[in-house]
């Protein structure tokens, strides 16, 4: 395991195409024969690394979490638009006793050009205080037991290709290069099958569990 900032991919000529020779991490080349770019919205960086279109928009959204001392019933709640606060809360209880709340409005859209310029790196993805305040006020009217100041305030950046389909498959003109990104808000749900399909593609040369032609 190497923790660092991926800054590029090294390649060399291999007949009429290129092949991967390494990954640049914090300015140093880590030798590699195969590389899979799984960078969420920052997979847009691969457009410059591989000289190919990687259309991606990052959607930065805030969320809040409450912790309950008592068990929470396992029912999700999807609220309509609340014009007072500009929210459309989605409320998800967890078996840990936490209640995760998103749909708090005011998401920020960051296009691929901005991501490639480094305008919003992962370390800068922080929650919007105004949206946190709105969600807190809205939810506190719904639940007096859990309302008030949330226990966790956070933000994420969802990776969204223009056709709403993830980008998964081989980089056609660079041997040993692969991409798996752009799963939007379904990344956790789709992670097991995406991981299996990409591992089959990388190790066996083709995915047998999913037809990746729809996503390449």
């Amino acid at each position: 395991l190497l923790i660092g900032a991926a800054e590029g991919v090294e390649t060399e000529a291999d007949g009429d195409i290129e092949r991967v020779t390494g990954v640049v991490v914090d300015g140093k080349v880590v030798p590699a024969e195969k590389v899979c770019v799984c960078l969420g919205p920052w997979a847009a960086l691969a457009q410059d690394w591989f000289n190919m279109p990687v259309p991606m928009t990052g959607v930065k959204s805030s969320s809040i979490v409450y912790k309950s001392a008592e068990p929470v019933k396992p029912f999700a709640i999807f609220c309509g638009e609340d014009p007072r606060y500009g929210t459309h809360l989605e409320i998800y209880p967890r078996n840990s006793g936490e209640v995760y709340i998103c749909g708090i409005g005011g998401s920020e859209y960051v296009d691929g050009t901005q991501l490639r310029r480094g305008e919003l790196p992962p370390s800068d993805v922080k929650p919007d205080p105004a949206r946190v305040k709105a969600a807190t006020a809205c939810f506190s009217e719904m639940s007096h037991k859990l309302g008030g100041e949330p226990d966790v305030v956070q933000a994420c950046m969802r990776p969204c290709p223009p056709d709403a389909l993830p980008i998964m498959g081989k980089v056609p003109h660079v041997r040993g290069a692969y991409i798996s990104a752009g799963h939007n808000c379904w990344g956790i749900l789709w992670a097991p099958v995406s991981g299996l399909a990409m591992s089959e593609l990388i190790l066996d040369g083709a995915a047998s569990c999913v037809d990746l032609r729809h996503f390449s």
Side-chain angles (χ1 to χ4, degrees), residues 137-155:
C138 183
F139 181 68
S140 294
E141 293 188 6
M142 300 171 58
S143 174
H144 298 295
K145 210 175 251 191
L146 288 178
E149 288 300 311
D151 294 287
V152 178
V153 174
Q154 58 193 10

Side-chain angles (χ1 to χ4, degrees), residues 3-155:
I3 298 175
E7 299 170 342
V9 175
E10 294 283 295
T11 63
E12 67 179 20
D14 186 14
D16 57 349
I17 64 172
E18 299 282 306
R19 72 177 180 89
V20 168
T21 59
V23 180
V24 182
V25 180
D26 293 331
K28 297 181 180 179
V29 177
V30 179
E33 295 180 353
K34 296 184 179 182
V35 172
C36 187
V37 177
C38 307
L39 296 176
W42 294 279
L45 295 168
Q47 179 162 316
D48 298 323
W49 299 349
F50 300 131
N51 192 29
M52 61 177 283
V54 184
M56 192 75 68
T57 296
V59 182
K60 184 173 84 71
S61 301
S62 304
S63 58
I64 58 178
V65 178
Y66 288 91
K67 296 179 180 179
S68 174
E70 302 174 10
V72 181
K73 292 183 179 180
F75 301 107
I77 302 173
F78 298 88
C79 304
E81 189 72 28
D82 189 334
R84 299 171 302 166
Y85 302 109
T87 59
H88 49 277
L89 298 186
E90 298 180 15
I91 304 169
Y92 301 93
R94 296 168 171 168
N95 60 10
S96 62
E98 295 176 320
V99 176
Y100 169 81
I101 301 173
C102 60
I104 70 179
S107 293
E108 177 184 350
Y109 289 75
V110 185
D111 67 33
T113 301
Q114 293 172 282
L115 293 168
R116 288 162 56 208
R117 287 200 299 251
E119 292 184 10
L120 197 65
S123 58
D124 287 352
V125 178
K126 295 182 170 58
D128 181 342
R131 302 319 307 159
V132 169
K133 182 178 179 181
T136 299
C138 183
F139 181 68
S140 294
E141 293 188 6
M142 300 171 58
S143 174
H144 298 295
K145 210 175 251 191
L146 288 178
E149 288 300 311
D151 294 287
V152 178
V153 174
Q154 58 193 10

Side-chain angles (χ1 to χ4, degrees), residues 152-187:
V152 178
V153 174
Q154 58 193 10
C156 68
M157 181 89 85
R158 302 197 309 276
C160 301
D163 61 0
L165 294 176
I167 301 170
M168 300 172 62
K170 296 179 181 180
V171 175
H173 58 287
V174 182
R175 184 172 287 116
Y178 306 82
I179 296 180
S180 180
H183 295 68
N184 199 340
C185 55
W186 305 111

